[in-house]
Coordinates of all heavy atoms in Angstrom, one line a residue:
V1 N 0.8 -1.2 0.0 CA 0.0 0.0 0.0 C 0.9 1.2 0.0 O 1.9 1.3 0.7 CB -0.9 0.0 1.2 CG1 -1.7 1.3 1.3 CG2 -1.8 -1.2 1.2
G2 N 0.5 2.2 -0.7 CA 1.2 3.5 -0.8 C 1.2 4.3 0.5 O 0.6 3.9 1.4
A3 N 2.0 5.4 0.5 CA 2.1 6.2 1.7 C 0.7 6.9 1.9 O 0.0 7.2 1.0 CB 3.1 7.3 1.5
L4 N 0.4 7.1 3.2 CA -0.9 7.7 3.5 C -0.7 9.2 3.3 O 0.2 9.8 3.7 CB -1.2 7.5 5.0 CG -2.5 7.9 5.5 CD1 -3.6 7.0 4.8 CD2 -2.6 7.7 7.0
P5 N -1.6 9.8 2.5 CA -1.5 11.2 2.2 C -1.8 12.1 3.4 O -2.5 11.7 4.3 CB -2.6 11.4 1.1 CG -3.6 10.3 1.3 CD -2.8 9.2 1.8
R6 N -1.3 13.3 3.4 CA -1.6 14.3 4.4 C -3.1 14.4 4.6 O -3.8 14.5 3.5 CB -1.0 15.6 4.1 CG -1.2 16.6 5.2 CD -0.5 17.9 4.8 NE 1.0 17.8 4.7 CZ 1.9 18.0 5.6 NH1 1.5 18.3 6.8 NH2 3.1 17.8 5.4
G7 N -3.7 14.4 5.8 CA -5.1 14.5 6.0 C -5.8 13.2 6.0 O -7.0 13.2 6.2
G8 N -5.1 12.1 5.7 CA -5.8 10.8 5.7 C -6.2 10.4 7.1 O -5.3 10.3 8.0
D9 N -7.5 10.2 7.4 CA -8.0 9.9 8.7 C -8.2 8.4 8.8 O -8.1 7.8 9.9 CB -9.3 10.6 9.0 CG -9.2 12.1 8.9 OD1 -8.3 12.7 9.7 OD2 -9.9 12.8 8.1
D10 N -8.7 7.8 7.8 CA -9.2 6.4 7.8 C -8.7 5.7 6.5 O -8.4 6.4 5.6 CB -10.7 6.3 8.0 CG -11.2 6.9 9.2 OD1 -10.7 6.5 10.3 OD2 -12.2 7.7 9.2
L11 N -8.8 4.4 6.6 CA -8.6 3.6 5.3 C -9.9 2.9 5.0 O -10.8 2.7 5.9 CB -7.6 2.5 5.6 CG -6.2 3.0 5.9 CD1 -5.3 1.8 6.2 CD2 -5.6 3.8 4.8
E12 N -10.1 2.6 3.7 CA -11.3 1.9 3.3 C -10.9 1.0 2.1 O -10.1 1.4 1.3 CB -12.4 2.9 2.9 CG -13.7 2.2 2.4 CD -14.8 3.2 2.2 OE1 -14.6 4.1 1.3 OE2 -15.8 3.2 2.9
V13 N -11.5 -0.2 2.1 CA -11.3 -1.1 0.9 C -12.6 -1.2 0.2 O -13.6 -1.4 0.7 CB -10.8 -2.5 1.4 CG1 -10.6 -3.4 0.2 CG2 -9.5 -2.4 2.2
E14 N -12.5 -1.1 -1.2 CA -13.6 -1.3 -2.0 C -13.4 -2.6 -2.9 O -12.3 -2.8 -3.3 CB -13.8 -0.1 -3.0 CG -15.0 -0.2 -3.8 CD -15.3 1.1 -4.6 OE1 -15.3 2.2 -4.0 OE2 -15.4 1.0 -5.8
F15 N -14.4 -3.4 -3.0 CA -14.4 -4.6 -3.7 C -15.3 -4.5 -4.9 O -16.4 -4.0 -4.9 CB -14.9 -5.8 -2.8 CG -14.2 -5.9 -1.5 CD1 -14.6 -5.2 -0.4 CD2 -13.1 -6.7 -1.4 CE1 -13.9 -5.3 0.8 CE2 -12.4 -6.8 -0.2 CZ -12.8 -6.1 0.9
D16 N -14.8 -5.1 -6.0 CA -15.6 -5.2 -7.2 C -15.8 -6.7 -7.5 O -14.9 -7.4 -8.0 CB -15.0 -4.5 -8.4 CG -15.9 -4.7 -9.7 OD1 -16.9 -5.3 -9.7 OD2 -15.4 -4.1 -10.7
F17 N -16.9 -7.3 -7.1 CA -17.2 -8.7 -7.3 C -18.1 -8.9 -8.5 O -19.3 -8.7 -8.3 CB -17.8 -9.3 -6.0 CG -18.2 -10.8 -6.2 CD1 -17.2 -11.8 -6.3 CD2 -19.5 -11.1 -6.3 CE1 -17.6 -13.1 -6.4 CE2 -19.9 -12.5 -6.4 CZ -18.9 -13.4 -6.5
L18 N -17.6 -9.0 -9.7 CA -18.4 -9.2 -10.9 C -19.4 -8.1 -11.1 O -20.4 -8.3 -11.8 CB -19.1 -10.6 -10.8 CG -18.2 -11.8 -10.5 CD1 -19.0 -13.1 -10.4 CD2 -17.1 -12.0 -11.6
G19 N -19.1 -6.9 -10.6 CA -20.0 -5.8 -10.8 C -21.4 -6.0 -10.1 O -22.3 -5.3 -10.5
V20 N -21.5 -6.9 -9.1 CA -22.7 -7.2 -8.5 C -23.2 -6.0 -7.6 O -24.4 -5.7 -7.5 CB -22.6 -8.5 -7.6 CG1 -23.9 -8.7 -6.8 CG2 -22.4 -9.7 -8.5
D21 N -22.3 -5.4 -6.9 CA -22.7 -4.4 -5.9 C -21.5 -3.5 -5.6 O -20.4 -3.8 -6.0 CB -22.9 -5.2 -4.6 CG -23.9 -4.5 -3.7 OD1 -24.3 -3.4 -3.9 OD2 -24.3 -5.2 -2.7
D22 N -21.8 -2.3 -5.1 CA -20.8 -1.4 -4.6 C -20.5 -1.8 -3.2 O -21.2 -1.5 -2.3 CB -21.3 0.1 -4.7 CG -20.3 1.1 -4.2 OD1 -19.1 0.8 -4.2 OD2 -20.8 2.2 -3.7
I23 N -19.3 -2.4 -3.0 CA -19.0 -3.0 -1.7 C -17.8 -2.3 -1.1 O -16.8 -2.3 -1.7 CB -18.7 -4.5 -1.9 CG1 -19.8 -5.2 -2.7 CG2 -18.4 -5.2 -0.6 CD1 -19.3 -6.6 -3.2
R24 N -18.1 -1.7 0.0 CA -17.0 -1.0 0.7 C -16.9 -1.5 2.1 O -17.9 -1.9 2.8 CB -17.3 0.5 0.8 CG -17.3 1.2 -0.6 CD -17.5 2.7 -0.5 NE -17.5 3.3 -1.8 CZ -17.6 4.6 -2.0 NH1 -17.6 5.4 -1.0 NH2 -17.6 5.0 -3.2
S25 N -15.7 -1.6 2.6 CA -15.5 -2.1 4.0 C -16.0 -1.2 5.1 O -16.3 -1.7 6.2 CB -14.0 -2.4 4.2 OG -13.3 -1.1 4.2
G26 N -16.1 0.1 4.8 CA -16.4 1.0 5.8 C -15.1 1.5 6.3 O -14.0 0.9 6.1
P27 N -15.0 2.6 7.0 CA -13.8 3.2 7.5 C -13.1 2.4 8.5 O -13.7 1.8 9.4 CB -14.2 4.5 8.1 CG -15.6 4.7 7.9 CD -16.2 3.5 7.3
V28 N -11.8 2.3 8.4 CA -10.9 1.6 9.4 C -9.9 2.7 9.9 O -9.2 3.3 9.1 CB -10.1 0.4 8.7 CG1 -9.1 -0.2 9.7 CG2 -11.1 -0.6 8.1
A29 N -9.9 2.9 11.2 CA -9.0 3.9 11.8 C -7.6 3.7 11.4 O -7.1 2.5 11.5 CB -9.2 4.0 13.3
V30 N -6.9 4.7 11.1 CA -5.4 4.7 10.9 C -4.7 4.5 12.2 O -5.0 5.2 13.2 CB -4.9 6.0 10.2 CG1 -3.4 6.0 10.1 CG2 -5.6 6.1 8.8
Q31 N -3.8 3.5 12.3 CA -3.1 3.2 13.5 C -1.7 3.9 13.4 O -1.1 3.9 12.4 CB -3.0 1.7 13.7 CG -4.3 1.0 13.7 CD -5.1 1.3 14.9 OE1 -4.7 1.5 16.0 NE2 -6.4 1.5 14.6
A32 N -1.3 4.4 14.5 CA 0.1 5.0 14.6 C 1.2 4.0 14.2 O 2.2 4.4 13.7 CB 0.3 5.6 16.0
S33 N 0.9 2.7 14.5 CA 1.9 1.7 14.2 C 2.1 1.4 12.7 O 3.1 0.9 12.3 CB 1.5 0.4 14.9 OG 0.4 -0.1 14.3
G34 N 1.1 1.8 12.0 CA 1.1 1.6 10.5 C 0.6 0.2 10.2 O 0.5 -0.2 9.0
V35 N 0.2 -0.6 11.2 CA -0.3 -1.9 11.0 C -1.9 -1.8 11.1 O -2.4 -1.3 12.1 CB 0.2 -2.9 12.0 CG1 -0.4 -4.3 11.8 CG2 1.7 -3.0 11.9
H36 N -2.6 -2.3 10.1 CA -4.0 -2.2 10.0 C -4.6 -3.6 9.8 O -4.1 -4.3 8.9 CB -4.5 -1.3 8.9 CG -3.8 0.0 9.0 ND1 -4.1 1.0 9.9 CD2 -2.8 0.6 8.3 CE1 -3.3 2.0 9.8 NE2 -2.5 1.8 8.8
Q37 N -5.6 -4.0 10.6 CA -6.3 -5.2 10.4 C -7.7 -4.9 9.9 O -8.4 -4.2 10.6 CB -6.3 -6.0 11.6 CG -6.9 -7.4 11.5 CD -6.8 -8.2 12.7 OE1 -6.9 -7.7 13.8 NE2 -6.7 -9.5 12.6
L38 N -8.1 -5.5 8.8 CA -9.4 -5.3 8.2 C -10.2 -6.6 8.3 O -9.7 -7.6 7.9 CB -9.3 -4.9 6.7 CG -10.6 -4.8 6.0 CD1 -11.3 -3.6 6.5 CD2 -10.3 -4.7 4.5
R39 N -11.3 -6.5 8.9 CA -12.3 -7.6 9.0 C -13.5 -7.2 8.3 O -14.1 -6.1 8.6 CB -12.6 -7.9 10.5 CG -11.3 -8.5 11.2 CD -11.6 -8.8 12.6 NE -10.4 -9.2 13.2 CZ -10.3 -9.8 14.3 NH1 -11.3 -10.0 15.0 NH2 -9.1 -10.1 14.8
F40 N -13.9 -8.0 7.4 CA -15.0 -7.7 6.5 C -15.8 -8.9 6.1 O -15.2 -10.0 5.8 CB -14.5 -7.0 5.2 CG -15.5 -6.5 4.3 CD1 -16.3 -5.4 4.6 CD2 -15.7 -7.1 3.1 CE1 -17.2 -4.9 3.7 CE2 -16.6 -6.7 2.2 CZ -17.4 -5.6 2.5
D41 N -17.1 -8.9 6.2 CA -17.9 -10.0 5.8 C -19.0 -9.6 4.9 O -19.7 -8.6 5.1 CB -18.5 -10.6 7.1 CG -19.3 -11.9 6.9 OD1 -19.0 -12.6 5.9 OD2 -20.1 -12.3 7.8
K42 N -19.1 -10.3 3.8 CA -20.2 -10.0 2.8 C -20.6 -11.3 2.2 O -19.8 -12.2 1.8 CB -19.6 -9.1 1.7 CG -20.6 -8.8 0.6 CD -21.7 -7.9 1.0 CE -22.6 -7.5 -0.2 NZ -23.7 -6.7 0.2
T43 N -21.9 -11.5 2.0 CA -22.4 -12.7 1.4 C -23.2 -12.3 0.2 O -23.8 -11.2 0.1 CB -23.3 -13.6 2.3 OG1 -24.4 -12.8 2.8 CG2 -22.5 -14.1 3.5
F44 N -23.3 -13.2 -0.8 CA -24.1 -13.0 -2.0 C -25.1 -14.2 -2.2 O -24.7 -15.3 -2.0 CB -23.2 -12.9 -3.3 CG -22.3 -11.8 -3.3 CD1 -21.0 -11.9 -2.8 CD2 -22.7 -10.6 -3.7 CE1 -20.1 -10.9 -2.7 CE2 -21.8 -9.5 -3.7 CZ -20.6 -9.6 -3.2
D45 N -26.3 -13.9 -2.5 CA -27.3 -14.9 -2.8 C -27.1 -15.4 -4.2 O -27.4 -14.7 -5.1 CB -28.7 -14.3 -2.6 CG -29.8 -15.4 -2.7 OD1 -29.5 -16.6 -3.1 OD2 -31.0 -15.1 -2.5
V46 N -26.6 -16.6 -4.3 CA -26.3 -17.2 -5.7 C -27.3 -18.4 -5.9 O -26.9 -19.3 -6.6 CB -24.9 -17.6 -5.9 CG1 -24.0 -16.3 -5.9 CG2 -24.4 -18.5 -4.8
S47 N -28.5 -18.3 -5.3 CA -29.4 -19.4 -5.6 C -30.0 -19.2 -7.0 O -29.9 -18.2 -7.6 CB -30.6 -19.3 -4.5 OG -31.2 -18.1 -4.5
V48 N -30.6 -20.3 -7.5 CA -31.1 -20.4 -8.8 C -32.1 -19.2 -9.1 O -32.9 -18.9 -8.2 CB -31.8 -21.7 -9.1 CG1 -32.5 -21.8 -10.4 CG2 -30.8 -22.9 -9.0
G49 N -31.9 -18.6 -10.2 CA -32.7 -17.5 -10.6 C -32.2 -16.1 -10.2 O -32.8 -15.1 -10.6
R50 N -31.2 -16.0 -9.4 CA -30.6 -14.8 -8.9 C -29.6 -14.2 -10.0 O -28.9 -15.0 -10.6 CB -29.9 -14.9 -7.6 CG -30.9 -15.4 -6.5 CD -32.0 -14.5 -6.1 NE -31.4 -13.3 -5.5 CZ -32.1 -12.5 -4.8 NH1 -33.4 -12.7 -4.7 NH2 -31.6 -11.4 -4.3
K51 N -29.5 -12.9 -10.1 CA -28.6 -12.3 -11.1 C -27.1 -12.6 -10.7 O -26.3 -12.9 -11.6 CB -28.8 -10.8 -11.1 CG -27.9 -10.1 -12.1 CD -28.3 -10.4 -13.5 CE -27.4 -9.6 -14.5 NZ -27.6 -9.9 -15.8
A52 N -26.8 -12.6 -9.4 CA -25.5 -12.9 -8.9 C -25.0 -14.3 -9.4 O -23.9 -14.5 -9.7 CB -25.4 -12.8 -7.4
R53 N -26.0 -15.3 -9.4 CA -25.6 -16.6 -9.8 C -25.3 -16.7 -11.3 O -24.3 -17.3 -11.7 CB -26.8 -17.6 -9.5 CG -26.4 -19.0 -9.9 CD -27.6 -20.0 -9.8 NE -27.3 -21.3 -10.1 CZ -26.9 -22.3 -9.2 NH1 -26.9 -22.0 -7.9 NH2 -26.6 -23.5 -9.6
E54 N -26.1 -16.0 -12.1 CA -25.9 -15.9 -13.5 C -24.5 -15.3 -13.8 O -23.7 -15.9 -14.6 CB -27.0 -15.1 -14.2 CG -26.9 -15.0 -15.7 CD -28.0 -14.1 -16.3 OE1 -29.1 -14.1 -15.7 OE2 -27.7 -13.5 -17.3
L55 N -24.2 -14.2 -13.1 CA -22.9 -13.6 -13.3 C -21.7 -14.5 -12.9 O -20.7 -14.6 -13.6 CB -22.8 -12.3 -12.6 CG -23.7 -11.2 -13.1 CD1 -23.7 -10.0 -12.1 CD2 -23.3 -10.7 -14.4
L56 N -21.9 -15.2 -11.8 CA -20.8 -16.0 -11.3 C -20.6 -17.2 -12.2 O -19.5 -17.6 -12.5 CB -21.2 -16.6 -9.9 CG -20.2 -17.5 -9.2 CD1 -18.9 -16.9 -9.1 CD2 -20.8 -18.0 -7.9
M57 N -21.7 -17.9 -12.6 CA -21.6 -19.0 -13.5 C -20.9 -18.6 -14.9 O -20.1 -19.3 -15.4 CB -22.9 -19.7 -13.8 CG -23.5 -20.3 -12.5 SD -22.4 -21.4 -11.6 CE -22.3 -22.7 -12.7
D58 N -21.3 -17.4 -15.4 CA -20.8 -17.0 -16.7 C -19.2 -16.7 -16.5 O -18.5 -17.1 -17.3 CB -21.4 -15.6 -17.1 CG -22.8 -15.8 -17.6 OD1 -23.2 -17.0 -17.9 OD2 -23.5 -14.8 -17.8
A59 N -18.9 -16.1 -15.3 CA -17.5 -15.9 -15.1 C -16.6 -17.2 -15.0 O -15.6 -17.3 -15.5 CB -17.3 -15.0 -13.8
L60 N -17.2 -18.1 -14.2 CA -16.5 -19.4 -14.0 C -16.4 -20.2 -15.3 O -15.4 -21.0 -15.4 CB -17.1 -20.2 -12.9 CG -17.0 -19.6 -11.5 CD1 -17.8 -20.4 -10.5 CD2 -15.6 -19.4 -11.1
E61 N -17.4 -20.1 -16.2 CA -17.4 -20.9 -17.4 C -16.7 -20.2 -18.5 O -16.4 -20.9 -19.6 CB -18.8 -21.2 -17.8 CG -19.5 -22.1 -16.8 CD -21.0 -22.3 -17.0 OE1 -21.6 -21.5 -17.9 OE2 -21.6 -23.1 -16.4
S62 N -16.3 -19.0 -18.4 CA -15.6 -18.2 -19.4 C -14.2 -18.8 -19.7 O -13.5 -19.0 -18.7 CB -15.6 -16.8 -19.1 OG -14.8 -16.0 -20.0
P63 N -13.8 -18.8 -21.0 CA -12.4 -19.2 -21.2 C -11.4 -18.1 -20.9 O -10.3 -18.4 -20.8 CB -12.5 -19.5 -22.7 CG -13.6 -18.8 -23.3 CD -14.6 -18.7 -22.1
D64 N -11.9 -16.9 -20.7 CA -11.1 -15.7 -20.4 C -11.0 -15.6 -18.9 O -12.0 -15.2 -18.3 CB -11.7 -14.5 -21.1 CG -10.8 -13.3 -20.9 OD1 -9.7 -13.4 -20.2 OD2 -11.1 -12.2 -21.5
T65 N -9.9 -15.9 -18.3 CA -9.8 -15.8 -16.8 C -10.1 -14.5 -16.2 O -10.5 -14.4 -15.1 CB -8.4 -16.3 -16.4 OG1 -7.4 -15.5 -16.9 CG2 -8.2 -17.8 -16.7
E66 N -9.9 -13.4 -17.0 CA -10.1 -12.1 -16.5 C -11.6 -11.8 -16.2 O -11.9 -11.0 -15.4 CB -9.7 -11.0 -17.5 CG -8.2 -10.9 -17.6 CD -7.7 -9.9 -18.7 OE1 -8.6 -9.3 -19.3 OE2 -6.5 -9.8 -18.8
D67 N -12.5 -12.7 -16.8 CA -13.9 -12.5 -16.5 C -14.3 -12.9 -15.1 O -15.3 -12.5 -14.6 CB -14.7 -13.4 -17.5 CG -14.7 -12.8 -18.9 OD1 -14.4 -11.6 -19.1 OD2 -15.1 -13.6 -19.8
S68 N -13.4 -13.6 -14.4 CA -13.7 -14.0 -13.0 C -12.8 -13.2 -12.0 O -12.6 -13.7 -10.9 CB -13.6 -15.5 -12.8 OG -12.3 -15.9 -13.0
D69 N -12.2 -12.1 -12.4 CA -11.4 -11.3 -11.5 C -12.2 -10.6 -10.4 O -13.3 -10.1 -10.8 CB -10.6 -10.3 -12.2 CG -9.4 -10.9 -13.1 OD1 -9.1 -12.1 -12.8 OD2 -8.9 -10.2 -13.9
V70 N -11.7 -10.6 -9.2 CA -12.3 -9.8 -8.2 C -11.3 -8.7 -7.8 O -10.1 -9.0 -7.5 CB -12.6 -10.6 -6.9 CG1 -13.2 -9.7 -5.8 CG2 -13.6 -11.7 -7.3
Y71 N -11.7 -7.4 -7.9 CA -10.7 -6.3 -7.7 C -10.9 -5.7 -6.3 O -12.0 -5.7 -5.7 CB -11.0 -5.2 -8.7 CG -10.7 -5.7 -10.1 CD1 -11.7 -6.3 -10.9 CD2 -9.4 -5.6 -10.6 CE1 -11.5 -6.7 -12.2 CE2 -9.2 -6.1 -11.9 CZ -10.2 -6.6 -12.7 OH -9.9 -7.1 -13.9
F72 N -9.8 -5.3 -5.7 CA -9.7 -4.7 -4.4 C -8.9 -3.4 -4.6 O -7.9 -3.4 -5.2 CB -8.9 -5.6 -3.4 CG -9.3 -7.0 -3.3 CD1 -8.9 -8.0 -4.2 CD2 -10.2 -7.4 -2.4 CE1 -9.3 -9.3 -4.2 CE2 -10.7 -8.7 -2.3 CZ -10.2 -9.7 -3.2
E73 N -9.5 -2.3 -4.0 CA -8.8 -1.1 -4.0 C -8.8 -0.5 -2.6 O -9.8 -0.5 -1.9 CB -9.5 -0.1 -4.9 CG -9.5 -0.5 -6.4 CD -10.3 0.4 -7.3 OE1 -11.6 0.3 -7.2 OE2 -9.7 1.2 -8.0
V74 N -7.6 0.0 -2.2 CA -7.4 0.6 -0.9 C -7.4 2.1 -1.0 O -6.6 2.6 -1.8 CB -6.1 0.1 -0.2 CG1 -6.0 0.7 1.2 CG2 -6.1 -1.4 -0.1
Y75 N -8.2 2.8 -0.2 CA -8.3 4.2 -0.2 C -8.0 4.8 1.1 O -8.3 4.2 2.2 CB -9.7 4.7 -0.6 CG -10.1 4.4 -2.0 CD1 -10.7 3.2 -2.3 CD2 -9.8 5.2 -3.0 CE1 -11.1 2.9 -3.6 CE2 -10.1 5.0 -4.3 CZ -10.8 3.8 -4.6 OH -11.1 3.5 -5.9
A76 N -7.4 6.0 1.1 CA -7.3 6.9 2.4 C -8.5 7.8 2.3 O -8.9 8.3 1.3 CB -6.0 7.7 2.3
L77 N -9.1 7.9 3.5 CA -10.3 8.8 3.6 C -9.9 10.1 4.3 O -9.3 10.0 5.4 CB -11.4 8.1 4.3 CG -11.9 6.8 3.8 CD1 -13.0 6.2 4.6 CD2 -12.4 6.9 2.3
D78 N -10.4 11.2 3.8 CA -10.1 12.5 4.5 C -11.5 13.1 4.9 O -12.2 13.6 4.1 CB -9.4 13.5 3.5 CG -9.0 14.8 4.2 OD1 -9.5 15.1 5.3 OD2 -8.1 15.5 3.6
R79 N -11.8 13.0 6.2 CA -13.1 13.4 6.7 C -13.3 14.9 6.6 O -14.5 15.4 6.6 CB -13.3 13.0 8.1 CG -13.5 11.5 8.3 CD -13.8 11.2 9.8 NE -12.6 10.3 10.2 CZ -12.0 10.5 11.3 NH1 -12.3 11.4 12.2 NH2 -11.0 9.6 11.6
D80 N -12.2 15.7 6.4 CA -12.4 17.1 6.3 C -12.7 17.6 4.9 O -12.9 18.8 4.7 CB -11.1 17.8 6.8 CG -10.8 17.5 8.3 OD1 -11.8 17.4 9.1 OD2 -9.6 17.4 8.6
K81 N -12.6 16.7 4.0 CA -12.9 17.1 2.6 C -14.0 16.2 2.0 O -13.7 15.1 1.5 CB -11.7 17.0 1.7 CG -10.6 17.9 2.1 CD -9.4 17.7 1.2 CE -8.2 18.7 1.5 NZ -7.1 18.4 0.7
P82 N -15.2 16.6 2.0 CA -16.3 15.7 1.5 C -16.1 15.6 -0.1 O -15.8 16.6 -0.7 CB -17.6 16.4 1.9 CG -17.2 17.8 2.2 CD -15.8 17.8 2.6
G83 N -16.4 14.4 -0.6 CA -16.4 14.2 -2.0 C -17.7 14.6 -2.6 O -18.6 15.0 -1.9
P84 N -17.9 14.4 -3.9 CA -19.1 14.8 -4.6 C -20.3 14.0 -4.1 O -21.5 14.5 -4.2 CB -18.9 14.4 -6.1 CG -17.6 13.8 -6.2 CD -16.9 13.9 -4.8
D85 N -20.1 12.8 -3.5 CA -21.3 12.0 -3.0 C -21.5 12.3 -1.5 O -22.4 11.7 -0.9 CB -21.0 10.5 -3.2 CG -19.7 10.0 -2.5 OD1 -19.0 10.8 -1.9 OD2 -19.5 8.8 -2.6
G86 N -20.8 13.3 -0.9 CA -21.0 13.6 0.5 C -20.2 12.8 1.4 O -20.1 13.1 2.6
R87 N -19.6 11.7 0.9 CA -18.7 10.9 1.8 C -17.3 11.6 1.8 O -17.0 12.4 1.0 CB -18.5 9.5 1.2 CG -19.8 8.7 1.1 CD -19.6 7.4 0.4 NE -20.8 6.6 0.2 CZ -20.8 5.5 -0.4 NH1 -19.7 4.9 -0.8 NH2 -22.0 4.8 -0.5
P88 N -16.5 11.2 2.8 CA -15.1 11.7 2.8 C -14.4 11.5 1.5 O -14.6 10.5 0.8 CB -14.4 10.9 3.9 CG -15.6 10.5 4.8 CD -16.7 10.2 3.9
A89 N -13.6 12.5 1.1 CA -12.8 12.4 -0.1 C -11.9 11.2 0.0 O -11.4 10.9 1.1 CB -11.9 13.7 -0.3
R90 N -11.6 10.5 -1.1 CA -10.8 9.3 -1.1 C -9.6 9.5 -2.1 O -9.7 10.0 -3.1 CB -11.7 8.1 -1.7 CG -12.9 7.9 -0.8 CD -13.7 6.7 -1.2 NE -13.7 6.3 -2.6 CZ -14.0 5.0 -3.0 NH1 -14.3 4.1 -2.1 NH2 -14.1 4.7 -4.2
T91 N -8.5 9.0 -1.6 CA -7.3 8.9 -2.4 C -6.9 7.5 -2.5 O -6.7 6.8 -1.5 CB -6.1 9.7 -1.7 OG1 -6.6 11.1 -1.5 CG2 -4.9 9.7 -2.6
Q92 N -6.7 7.0 -3.7 CA -6.4 5.6 -3.9 C -4.9 5.4 -3.5 O -4.0 6.1 -4.0 CB -6.6 5.1 -5.4 CG -6.4 3.6 -5.5 CD -6.6 3.2 -6.9 OE1 -6.0 3.7 -7.9 NE2 -7.4 2.1 -7.1
L93 N -4.7 4.3 -2.7 CA -3.3 4.0 -2.2 C -2.8 2.8 -3.0 O -1.6 2.6 -3.1 CB -3.3 3.7 -0.7 CG -3.8 4.8 0.2 CD1 -3.8 4.4 1.6 CD2 -2.9 6.1 0.0
G94 N -3.7 1.9 -3.4 CA -3.2 0.7 -4.0 C -4.4 -0.1 -4.6 O -5.6 0.1 -4.2
A95 N -4.1 -1.1 -5.4 CA -5.1 -1.9 -6.0 C -4.5 -3.3 -6.3 O -3.3 -3.5 -6.4 CB -5.6 -1.4 -7.3
A96 N -5.4 -4.3 -6.2 CA -5.0 -5.7 -6.5 C -6.2 -6.5 -7.0 O -7.3 -6.0 -7.0 CB -4.5 -6.4 -5.2
Y97 N -6.0 -7.7 -7.5 CA -7.1 -8.5 -7.9 C -6.8 -10.0 -7.6 O -5.6 -10.4 -7.4 CB -7.4 -8.3 -9.4 CG -6.4 -8.9 -10.3 CD1 -6.6 -10.2 -10.8 CD2 -5.3 -8.2 -10.7 CE1 -5.6 -10.8 -11.7 CE2 -4.4 -8.7 -11.6 CZ -4.5 -10.0 -12.1 OH -3.6 -10.6 -12.9
A98 N -7.8 -10.8 -7.5 CA -7.7 -12.2 -7.4 C -8.6 -12.8 -8.4 O -9.7 -12.3 -8.7 CB -8.1 -12.6 -6.0
N99 N -8.3 -14.0 -8.9 CA -9.1 -14.7 -9.9 C -9.8 -15.8 -9.2 O -9.2 -16.6 -8.4 CB -8.1 -15.2 -11.0 CG -8.9 -15.7 -12.2 OD1 -9.2 -16.9 -12.2 ND2 -9.3 -14.8 -13.1
L100 N -11.1 -16.0 -9.5 CA -11.9 -17.0 -8.8 C -11.5 -18.4 -9.3 O -11.3 -18.7 -10.4 CB -13.4 -16.8 -9.1 CG -14.0 -15.5 -8.5 CD1 -15.4 -15.4 -8.9 CD2 -13.8 -15.5 -7.0

């Protein structure tokens, strides 16, 4: 993860799981030690007939492995500067992905 920008109050992780939902971890307080532990729990209903199931099956059956990538982005949040959506302004610190 990159250096925390001046004014960074909290950290937040955003997940892109097949475009199903806007998934954010919520703010995690910045620790003086620089060590941060993120605990996050999210479930998806992938029962028959659900859109998430259709997307998941398409991704897993695709010959293109990029179709099943799950993306993670880490942001610093600045509570003193609201963004256009009214939430704290975000500065991207890093990004990664995993393949299902």
